[in-house]
Amino acid sequence: MMKFLTQMERYERILKLIKRKATGTPQELANRLDISESTLYEYIRVLKHSGA
């Protein structure tokens, strides 16, 4: 359950940063979220697929 909440929090944070145009580079955003760049791209793929 804790892992799920962490993922949902990351999705929300990514969306907020995109809306504010404050993501920086993919590497900077991945570092900020404490995830790999490839994981970041997977999050973004899921967000795009869900219509975000």
Side-chain angles (χ1 to χ4, degrees), residues 2-52:
M2 192 66 154
K3 184 177 180 180
F4 175 76
L5 291 176
T6 301
Q7 285 181 334
M8 292 307 296
E9 290 168 354
R10 284 185 179 137
Y11 282 119
E12 289 176 19
R13 189 164 178 205
I14 291 168
L15 284 174
K16 286 179 185 177
L17 289 168
I18 289 171
K19 286 178 184 177
R20 288 190 297 165
K21 297 182 181 182
T23 58
T25 66
Q27 185 177 17
E28 290 169 340
L29 181 55
N31 288 339
R32 195 181 308 175
L33 296 170
D34 196 30
I35 58 176
S36 70
E37 232 180 297
S38 61
T39 299
L40 172 64
Y41 284 115
E42 179 62 20
Y43 277 92
I44 291 170
R45 187 192 65 75
V46 170
L47 287 169
K48 283 182 179 180
H49 183 73
S50 68

